[in-house]
Each structure stands twice: as structure tokens, then as C-alpha cells.
Amino acid sequence: MNGLSQIVDQTEAERLATGFVFTEGPLWHPDGFYYFVDVRASKFYRIRPGGAAELLRENTGEGNGTTFDPQGRLILCEGGNRRLTRWPADGKFASSDVLIDRFEGKRLSRPNDVLCKSDGSVYFTNPGLRVPLADRELDPHVADFEYPNGLAFSPDERTLYVANTRFAMYIHAIELDGAGNVVRRRIFADMSSDEPEGVPDGMKVDVEGRVYCTGPGGTWVFAPSGEKLGIIKTPEVPANLCFGGPDMKTIFFTARTSVYSLRVKVPGLPGHPYRK
């Protein structure tokens, strides 16, 4: 496990379900289950540990990243629909509100991943390179990212990590002040690799500040300093992950056609402010 022996509690991940097209958007619910999406099939699922995946919603508009707000409402990036929607906390998925579909009057590109801060502020990535040039209304390079993707906060919420997926593979660290304003930015970690599959994508952080980012060959783990600690290997290369379980010591991976779990020794942060 390349120096991960103090973190990982299992040698092999367990496959929980398979038969999907491209899984993404993992999210642990305090009621004891995971949400995830099949992006390319535009479907939204729930799975309980030891149970089968349950289809909750179809036609998600290529639903991708997910999070909760402080009230327990689900926020979903709908890349194909070019918007973020917010769903009631009742879990019935009967109706939703459009949270945002335009910025300064211009239509969003393809919202990809989303994160909610403890004060309720919503952060999301909006890469534009997969939108035909004639249909782009926002400059994809406005923040000097080639292809912004996964997002995660440090435990104190003073550093926002952003994965860059295309062209240059790295993680940006954006340092924030108490009001959420950008103080400075820097490269946190280089994820360049000769591995044939995988790019910097979904991210989460544990309670000790380690950063877990899916990438080439598996899930890369970094110390808070940016030092690479190793790569967690799974049977399929994951696109995203989340921490879950009653003790937050289970990593749930969305990996291509399947979803997997792996026990770890250090609890993870939920990645959202909602707790029951």
C-alpha cells in the first residue's frame, strides 16, 4: 500500500454492486446508505451496506456531483441540463428547484462537482471544454483552470482543493480568509503519471487533513503538506469517492461499472455540513 499502512484497514476493496455504465456522485446519508449516480445512463441510485442498488430517479440530465446543504437537501450537478438542482430532504425525489443555471446572465457550461460549506455557501466546478464552442456562454478559463473537476475543503475550511483533470494533472489549493475570499493560490500536488487510465477527479479529506483524490491508477493519498503517501488500488479505477458508515471509516468508491467499499483507520470528513 506504499506507505498507507497507517491509514488503510483492508488489503482489498469489496465490490457492492456492478452493471452500470459510469458511476459517480457518491454521497453518504446519515440514515445509513449511500447515494450515487450513473452519469452516462442519467440514473440516480441508493444502496445500503449489504443490500442491492435501488433506482430512485431516471432522466437526471447526466447527473454527476452531489452534496447536502445544512438542511439535508440534496444538491445535484446536472451536466447535460447545464444546471444545479436542489431536492427536498424527504428523499422522495418528486420535485426539485433549480438552484442555479446562469451566472451573470450567461448559461452555465457543464456543472461537474459541488461542495457545501458549513455556512451554507455552495461551491461548484463548471468546466466548459466539453460544450461546443458555439454553445459556450462562459469563459472556461476565467479562473485559470484548464478543466476544474473535484472539490474538497480542508478540516478548517480555509483551504479549497480543486482537481484539474485535463492537459495538466494537478490539485490546486486555494487559501481563503474567514469570509471566504481568496487570499492566495498554489499547486498542492502534481498528479502527472504514465498510468493509462484515470485522471484527477473526485476528492475527499479525512479528519487529519489528508487529501484523497481519484486519479491515474487509483486513489492518490496526500499528507496535508502535499507529500504523496501512496495510491489505493481498486479493481476498477474510480472517478470519485466519499467517506461513510456510522464511524466514517468506510470509503465508498464509484469506479466505472461498479461501486466498492474499503475500511480505513482514520475517519473522513463528510464533505458537507449536514448531520442528523
Side-chain angles (χ1 to χ4, degrees):
M1 281 291 178
N2 302 326
L4 298 179
S5 60
Q6 300 303 310
I7 304 169
V8 176
D9 207 22
Q10 274 180 269
T11 56
E12 295 184 4
E14 177 186 358
R15 189 169 71 180
L16 304 182
T18 192
F20 309 102
V21 183
F22 195 97
T23 57
E24 249 282 8
L27 184 64
W28 170 252
H29 194 291
D31 282 347
F33 56 81
Y34 297 95
Y35 285 135
F36 69 96
V37 304
D38 190 335
V39 177
R40 294 176 185 167
S42 285
K43 294 181 178 181
F44 187 90
Y45 291 91
R46 172 175 60 198
I47 188 168
R48 296 182 183 276
E54 307 169 64
L55 178 62
L56 298 181
R57 183 183 163 219
E58 297 188 84
N59 304 315
T60 64
E62 297 178 54
N64 198 338
T66 60
T67 195
F68 290 121
D69 69 10
Q71 290 74 44
R73 295 172 295 188
L74 177 85
I75 298 173
L76 174 67
C77 292
E78 298 184 2
N81 290 335
R82 302 175 68 174
R83 66 186 187 182
L84 277 74
T85 52
R86 183 170 56 195
W87 298 78
D90 59 14
K92 295 180 179 178
F93 298 95
S95 63
S96 68
D97 300 317
V98 175
L99 184 61
I100 184 172
D101 61 358
R102 294 179 181 273
F103 177 71
E104 296 181 344
K106 298 179 180 179
R107 193 178 181 194
L108 299 181
S109 297
R110 288 187 63 89
N112 186 301
D113 205 0
V114 60
L115 183 64
C116 193
K117 199 176 178 184
S118 59
D119 64 2
S121 303
V122 176
Y123 294 70
F124 66 96
T125 50
N126 184 52
L129 295 181
R130 290 179 58 198
V131 177
L133 186 59
D135 295 332
R136 285 184 211 162
E137 298 184 25
L138 287 169
D139 181 358
H141 303 299
V142 66
D144 297 323
F145 289 96
E146 295 89 349
Y147 198 105
N149 199 325
L151 294 165
F153 274 120
S154 60
D156 63 1
E157 297 187 334
R158 297 299 289 266
T159 302
L160 174 66
Y161 299 105
V162 185
N164 192 78
T165 291
R166 297 286 186 264
F167 309 118
M169 295 196 292
Y170 61 90
I171 299 173
H172 235 120
I174 300 175
E175 297 177 28
L176 307 174
D177 63 19
N181 300 308
V182 176
V183 175
R184 64 183 62 84
R185 53 193 296 170
R186 56 188 167 83
I187 300 298
F188 171 73
D190 181 0
M191 293 185 66
S192 302
S193 173
D194 294 328
E195 288 279 352
E197 187 178 6
V199 294
D201 202 335
M203 278 192 294
K204 293 295 183 293
V205 175
D206 70 20
V207 298
E208 296 177 356
R210 299 180 191 86
V211 176
Y212 299 66
C213 185
T214 60
T219 300
W220 295 41
V221 184
F222 300 94
S225 64
E227 175 193 359
K228 181 182 173 184
L229 301 177
I231 299 176
I232 299 173
K233 299 286 188 177
T234 43
E236 297 173 79
V237 174
N240 210 336
L241 75 153
C242 71
F243 286 92
D247 59 2
M248 296 301 289
K249 291 184 180 180
T250 298
I251 299 181
F252 179 78
F253 300 94
T254 49
R256 305 307 192 257
T257 67
S258 308
V259 292
Y260 297 87
S261 69
L262 182 78
R263 291 288 293 169
V264 291
K265 300 175 182 178
V266 179
L269 298 173
H272 57 79
Y274 176 53
R275 293 179 177 85
K276 296 191 71 173

